Amino acid sequence: MAEQLPRLEMTNIVKEFPGVKALSDVQLRLYPGEVHALMGENGAGKSTLIKVLTGVYPIDQGTVTLEGNPVHISSPLKAQEHGITTVYQEVNLCSNLSVTENIFIGREIKKYGRLAWKEMHQRAEKLLERLQLKIDVTKLLSSYSVAIQQMVAIARALNVSAKILILDEPTSSLDRDEVQQLFAVMRQLKKDGLAIVFVSHFLDQIFEITDRLTVLRNGEWIGEYKTAEISRMDLVSKMIGKELEEMEAISSKNTGNTTESTQSFLQADEVGLKGKVEPFDLEMRKGEIVGLAGLLGSGRTEMARVLFGADKKDKGKIKVNGKEAHFSSPRNAILYKIGFCSENRKTEGIIPELTVRENMILAIQSVYGWFRYLSKAKQMKIADEYIQLLNINPANPEQLIKNLSGGNQQKVMLARWLVTDPDLLILDEPTRGIDIGAKTEIMKLMTKLSKENKSILFISSEIEEILRTCDRIAVLRDRKKVKEFDNDGKLTQQDVMKEMAGGG
Amino acid sequence: MINRLSLDYKQLPLVATIALFVLMFSFGSLRYTGFLSTQVFLNLFIDNAFLIVIAVGMTFVILSGGIDLSVGSVIALTSMVAASLTMEAQLSPWIVVPVSLLVGTILGMIQGSLIHFYNLQPFIVTLAGMFLARGLSYLISVETISIDHPFFSYMANSQIPLPGNNFISISVVIALIVAAIAIFIAHFTNFGRTVYAIGGSEQSALLMGLPVTRTKILIYTLSGFLASLAGLIFTFYMLSGYGLHANGMELDTIAAVVIGGTLLTGGAGYVAGSVVGVLILGIIQTIIVFEGTLSSWWTKIAIGVLLLLFIVLQRVIVWRSEKKAGTG
């Protein structure tokens, strides 16, 4: 294969957004007839790379060659003309139109100045047959499952005589059989000489279907590997940025502070939500920090959201303080003294146009009820207290929160929940994208809270952080809780990673 | 191919509309003597020809997920332009008709461009257009301008005989031709299908490389043109131009389209449904006339109730189809 001319070669790609270098010196080579995985954690630059390749974003630096010829891809339409097509995770079709129309719209077949429906229906059936799908193409797209809609999206892509097919997390909403069906189609297309880019967070799938893979981390190119020649452990360590040797060198720094408390605060019994997280058991004792480890997409956030009531569970029971608790909304959870600090600071957490003070009192205000106004003096007292406690900079409660750095925004978010004096605080990636100083402070605060007999559920991609702070560690993989460790001081990063990677 | 005869969810509102019309017509026929006649049925078309024409234009707008509030005012403006050009400027119909038609077309094109290029809410833009057109018609004259011209009289009074001693007007012929062309455009041209696609998901339509810009501007242009055409038909019907003509007609139009089974959020519906929707509004009025003792405001009450029923019906259908997609 190496002798062959690559179908696509992207070299030294640089893409900058204001303040962020999204891609620096990234390479990607695709050969005809291969399935190539694009691997990396959140923020690694996968989606930016795809968007650059499909012409959604312009390239700042670097070259793209198609079958040896340099090309300039300036728009999604241009990309399509070059035979580069994308099937997005969220199916980007019109579900109010028929299957046929979704395949042909924009390049309809016409006869005597009118659309030739009969011919289009036949062609659509043939295209779908190539994908081993026999469905009524005259029906609305919305009457079919997501899996079939995805196939239709692929059929649409193939209809433009695609040379490169990008599948951006196509499997995230499919079940096992549907995934196998998709894989069968991918193998067929591979045989036909298509180059397929496959993005997925499921390692099992990566090892099953891909030939080669490119790993990105923090916008940098880590390497290109043959799937058959890399072990799962290797791959995971490349994705999260710890070389094996380096990892072995880090002696476990955990304190081994397994608390003696046996009093349980929250108990989840076979709690699950179809399509999000498989039923799991989890106990949170008072004064305990429990870590949730797992790769992106492993179901960490989903688990936390279900516990908080942000997504409604469809299975199992949750007990708080020994009594069964029904929460159908975050507001209920807040009343049970549970706080949730979301992973997406930007979209689910801060309200950028409000001040630090106003952001801080949001959750407590909601506990009070909107008609019991919190006096300004009280608000100021709260703001001042937490600005000091968390060392928020600048120490001005009237500053708009959007003007604060990521780390300080995170601290305000934490303060928002601390004000409500929660017994259980769920922290989803509180340390992501903030500097070391702020990280250490947040971790110190967690330890302090646990000494005050509060429970904390800590989600992080940094296994080291989890090992350092947590009493127990639950590992998730492919939306399933696969293991629970007691952090007894002997546990190593490797043990945890092995569970995160699963398989061999 | 297998389930050709089974009812698609998207056709349910249309079927409901037709069933409702049949029901109301049967009700009238049983209750009032003289109701069950071809001419009563044909009068529905004669009295509402202009409404059919604007409803067709409005159908495209609503299918694309937009709204056009300016159509009622455009009718008034068109009637004023036609009346003043004919009576005051003494121009020939050969000039009056094309110029009148341009009024709404140009306004529609401007509205469409504003909506698309400045990414404005169709509601606000066409609301502004509504005030503008209404104001402009008063600028021409605050009084009614009666039209006394052979061409207009001919268009108003000539009857096209149909078998069985029945007749229709020229306006009906125009309206039916408009509806037929619109059905063709909606289902057999890529413009029509792009309208549905935009209504389904504008974002997806863009990503699929469809000509969203052109189509959106064209939709409002078409709606404006048809509003002007309806304005002319209305002028034939009233034989006058007046700034208060067709006051609130845009809301009747929207009601007819929605009762005709078009989803207010866009993406689903039929031109033919809107025609039936207009006929339903017409038959409510006819029933109230036949009843004799009821105030004409009962028309509004009936329309209100029906509108509510249809909106609820649509919501239920959307829920059910979502559920179906979820489990299927």
Side-chain angles (χ1 to χ4, degrees):
Chain A
M1 203 183 269
E3 319 304 324
Q4 224 176 335
L5 186 67
R7 172 150 298 164
L8 173 93
E9 194 159 15
M10 299 176 86
T11 32
N12 304 328
I13 302 293
V14 176
K15 176 73 205 166
E16 275 181 68
F17 293 113
V20 204
K21 206 161 193 182
L23 295 174
S24 52
D25 267 343
V26 170
Q27 343 270 337
L28 180 67
R29 281 188 304 162
L30 300 176
Y31 290 97
E34 75 160 343
V35 179
H36 192 110
L38 206 50
M39 303 294 295
E41 285 284 269
N42 226 352
K46 288 171 306 189
S47 29
T48 312
L49 186 63
I50 289 177
K51 284 187 173 151
V52 161
L53 176 57
T54 51
V56 177
Y57 298 150
I59 300 178
D60 292 345
Q61 275 172 50
T63 52
V64 181
T65 59
L66 261 177
E67 283 163 337
N69 308 312
V71 286
H72 177 67
I73 302 166
S74 52
S75 71
L77 207 66
K78 262 271 164 54
Q80 281 189 20
E81 283 166 16
H82 284 303
I84 304 171
T85 53
T86 317
V87 174
Y88 296 94
Q89 173 185 14
E90 302 295 328
V91 183
N92 268 301
L93 297 175
C94 290
S95 55
N96 63 321
L97 302 182
S98 73
V99 171
T100 303
E101 270 186 275
N102 272 295
I103 294 176
F104 284 100
I105 196 162
R107 29 173 196 271
E108 296 93 342
I109 303 171
K110 283 186 159 188
K111 252 189 197 161
Y112 317 114
R114 46 171 280 178
L115 302 180
W117 284 117
K118 218 172 145 190
E119 200 176 330
M120 284 196 271
H121 286 321
Q122 283 168 356
R123 287 260 305 261
E125 271 170 4
K126 250 190 216 137
L127 267 167
L128 288 170
E129 245 165 59
R130 205 175 139 198
L131 307 179
Q132 289 144 30
L133 203 59
K134 239 181 132 56
I135 55 172
D136 181 355
V137 293
T138 60
K139 278 200 167 180
L140 292 191
L141 187 69
S142 60
S143 58
Y144 293 108
S145 68
V146 179
I148 290 179
Q149 295 190 16
Q150 213 129 37
M151 290 293 181
V152 174
I154 293 176
R156 177 178 172 84
L158 294 179
N159 187 40
V160 290
S161 55
K163 290 179 184 153
I164 295 167
L165 179 63
I166 302 165
L167 300 173
D168 189 1
E169 290 199 49
T171 54
S172 54
S173 40
L174 305 187
D175 69 27
R176 206 166 280 275
D177 292 340
E178 290 167 337
V179 168
Q180 284 311 319
Q181 222 177 332
L182 177 71
F183 282 0
V185 168
M186 284 168 68
R187 289 193 187 98
Q188 178 64 42
L189 296 176
K190 198 171 106 172
K191 239 186 253 163
D192 297 347
L194 215 66
I196 301 173
V197 177
F198 181 66
V199 180
S200 169
H201 289 296
F202 300 114
L203 287 179
D204 288 343
Q205 296 175 1
I206 297 292
F207 281 94
E208 184 177 346
I209 191 76
T210 66
D211 302 301
R212 289 185 316 130
L213 45 90
T214 293
V215 180
L216 301 180
R217 188 173 69 232
N218 296 329
E220 279 168 41
W221 184 80
I222 301 303
E224 183 191 282
Y225 311 92
K226 283 195 171 148
T227 312
E229 290 168 10
I230 190 168
S231 74
R232 279 171 179 251
M233 280 292 279
D234 259 335
L235 177 58
V236 172
S237 70
K238 292 214 156 58
M239 282 164 63
I240 56 181
K242 299 271 189 298
E243 293 295 333
L244 278 178
E245 309 83 60
E246 186 192 339
M247 281 168 9
E248 268 165 306
I250 304 170
S251 59
S252 94
K253 282 179 191 143
N254 58 56
T255 46
N257 57 342
T258 320
T259 347
E260 296 310 308
S261 161
T262 45
Q263 228 186 334
S264 153
F265 172 71
L266 179 139
Q267 206 165 356
D269 230 357
E270 284 288 302
V271 170
L273 175 58
K274 199 179 163 227
K276 298 275 188 192
V277 58
E278 291 189 26
F280 62 89
D281 294 333
L282 187 74
E283 193 190 2
M284 301 281 316
R285 290 179 212 128
K286 285 185 180 162
E288 191 183 40
I289 306 178
V290 176
L292 280 190
L295 292 170
L296 189 83
S298 58
R300 302 177 310 198
T301 302
E302 289 78 358
M303 190 167 171
R305 285 179 64 90
V306 167
L307 286 177
F308 186 57
D311 291 324
K312 221 170 145 183
K313 64 180 195 300
D314 62 3
K315 265 200 201 89
K317 281 183 196 154
I318 294 178
K319 278 187 198 162
V320 177
N321 286 325
K323 266 184 256 153
E324 189 172 349
H326 297 278
F327 25 94
S328 48
S329 75
R331 198 176 140 70
N332 285 139
I334 293 169
L335 295 177
Y336 277 109
K337 309 210 87 174
I338 299 174
F340 178 76
C341 218
S342 156
E343 167 184 32
N344 301 318
R345 200 160 52 222
K346 285 260 155 55
T347 55
E348 289 174 24
I350 65 162
I351 301 184
E353 299 298 332
L354 294 185
T355 64
V356 168
R357 169 179 55 84
E358 288 166 320
N359 267 288
M360 268 186 197
I361 61 142
L362 275 177
I364 183 85
Q365 183 71 72
S366 133
V367 174
Y368 267 48
W370 290 108
F371 297 108
R372 282 168 56 202
Y373 183 68
L374 216 55
S375 76
K376 185 86 183 259
K378 237 182 199 165
Q379 292 186 17
M380 286 308 283
K381 207 179 133 238
I382 291 172
D384 285 337
E385 185 187 334
Y386 282 93
I387 285 175
Q388 220 177 5
L389 180 75
L390 299 175
N391 204 2
I392 291 169
N393 182 25
N396 172 10
E398 299 309 316
Q399 178 71 256
L400 291 186
I401 197 167
K402 65 176 178 187
N403 298 332
L404 268 60
S405 73
N408 282 298
Q409 289 180 355
Q410 193 63 53
K411 288 188 207 163
V412 176
M413 292 285 303
L414 267 173
R416 177 190 293 173
W417 292 109
L418 293 178
V419 175
T420 65
D421 190 31
D423 286 334
L424 167 62
L425 192 56
I426 303 171
L427 302 176
D428 194 355
E429 294 264 23
T431 54
R432 196 178 71 207
I434 63 177
D435 60 74
I436 299 282
K439 262 185 201 180
T440 331
E441 274 175 59
I442 284 175
M443 282 158 74
K444 260 194 234 156
L445 183 77
M446 284 167 50
T447 321
K448 183 168 164 274
L449 286 171
S450 78
K451 292 221 171 84
E452 292 166 12
N453 222 16
K454 316 256 185 224
S455 323
I456 293 171
L457 187 65
F458 177 50
I459 302 176
S460 174
S461 299
E462 305 275 336
I463 304 166
E464 193 196 327
E465 286 179 4
I466 290 188
L467 280 173
R468 224 189 301 165
T469 49
C470 296
D471 304 305
R472 266 185 307 132
I473 297 164
V475 182
L476 286 112
R477 186 177 71 234
D478 295 353
R479 296 191 188 127
K480 211 171 159 179
K481 183 178 164 195
V482 288
K483 183 87 183 173
E484 193 172 306
F485 291 109
D486 268 323
N487 193 359
D488 52 6
K490 279 175 260 164
L491 192 66
T492 65
Q493 289 205 25
Q494 265 178 298
D495 297 331
V496 178
M497 274 182 43
K498 228 176 240 159
E499 286 303 326
M500 282 166 63
Chain B
M1 299 295 138
I2 321 142
N3 287 330
R4 228 48 227 275
L5 280 175
S6 79
L7 209 58
D8 228 328
Y9 275 106
K10 66 171 179 175
Q11 283 156 358
L12 202 59
L14 179 64
V15 174
T17 308
I18 294 172
L20 182 70
F21 178 77
V22 172
L23 201 75
M24 291 172 85
F25 200 81
S26 320
F27 169 80
S29 309
L30 289 175
R31 196 174 157 91
Y32 313 110
T33 42
F35 196 97
L36 181 64
S37 83
T38 318
Q39 195 55 50
V40 168
F41 179 72
L42 292 177
N43 282 344
L44 291 178
F45 285 90
I46 294 172
D47 295 338
N48 296 294
F50 56 93
L51 199 54
I52 290 178
V53 174
I54 24 176
V56 164
M58 186 70 81
T59 310
F60 282 95
V61 176
I62 293 182
L63 276 177
S64 78
I67 198 89
D68 188 350
L69 297 179
S70 68
V71 290
S73 303
V74 168
I75 288 184
L77 183 58
T78 309
S79 79
M80 279 310 254
V81 169
S84 70
L85 288 182
T86 310
M87 299 313 291
E88 280 156 27
Q90 297 286 338
L91 291 173
S92 119
W94 291 105
I95 298 170
V96 173
V97 169
V99 170
S100 308
L101 288 177
L102 271 181
V103 170
T105 314
I106 291 170
L107 184 75
M109 191 152 71
I110 294 171
Q111 292 185 142
S113 307
L114 286 172
I115 289 164
H116 184 76
F117 290 116
Y118 291 95
N119 198 17
L120 298 173
Q121 299 288 333
F123 188 96
I124 299 299
V125 173
T126 58
L127 185 68
M130 175 181 113
F131 286 124
L132 180 76
R134 188 70 70 186
L136 285 177
S137 27
Y138 281 110
L139 209 60
I140 296 172
S141 166
V142 287
E143 306 286 330
T144 311
I145 305 176
S146 300
I147 300 176
D148 182 16
H149 187 281
F151 169 74
F152 281 87
S153 309
Y154 172 77
M155 294 301 277
N157 299 325
S158 62
Q159 298 181 346
I160 299 169
L162 289 182
N165 238 349
N166 298 307
F167 66 91
I168 51 172
S169 64
I170 296 178
S171 306
V172 175
V173 177
I174 298 174
L176 291 180
I177 291 175
V178 165
I181 294 176
I183 290 171
F184 179 83
I185 289 177
H187 298 283
F188 295 100
T189 65
N190 30 15
F191 167 75
R193 302 324 292 168
T194 307
V195 172
Y196 278 86
I198 292 174
S201 161
E202 190 169 339
Q203 192 55 36
S204 293
L206 270 172
L207 276 173
M208 290 199 279
L210 301 180
V212 173
T213 307
R214 195 179 42 185
T215 308
K216 263 176 92 176
I217 295 173
L218 219 56
I219 289 167
Y220 288 93
T221 312
L222 179 71
S223 172
F225 167 77
L226 290 177
S228 269
L229 182 61
L232 276 179
I233 294 175
F234 196 75
T235 314
F236 299 152
Y237 190 70
M238 305 294 278
L239 281 179
S240 69
Y242 184 34
L244 214 59
H245 272 345
N247 203 6
M249 184 79 71
E250 59 279 344
L251 302 180
D252 290 332
T253 315
I254 294 169
V257 172
V258 171
I259 291 175
T262 299
L263 215 57
L264 203 52
T265 47
Y270 297 96
V271 172
S274 300
V275 175
V276 183
V278 171
L279 295 184
I280 287 180
L281 295 196
I283 208 165
I284 293 173
Q285 222 142 16
T286 312
I287 286 175
I288 282 163
V289 169
F290 266 83
E291 187 65 41
T293 55
L294 280 176
S295 142
S296 69
W297 292 108
W298 278 96
T299 322
K300 300 280 174 199
I301 295 171
I303 294 174
V305 170
L306 280 184
L307 202 56
L308 214 60
L309 273 176
F310 271 82
I311 296 269
V312 172
L313 175 73
Q314 288 181 356
R315 175 51 58 193
V316 171
I317 289 168
V318 168
W319 274 342
R320 287 187 62 175
S321 65
E322 268 170 9
K323 232 189 217 162
K324 211 175 144 205
T327 54

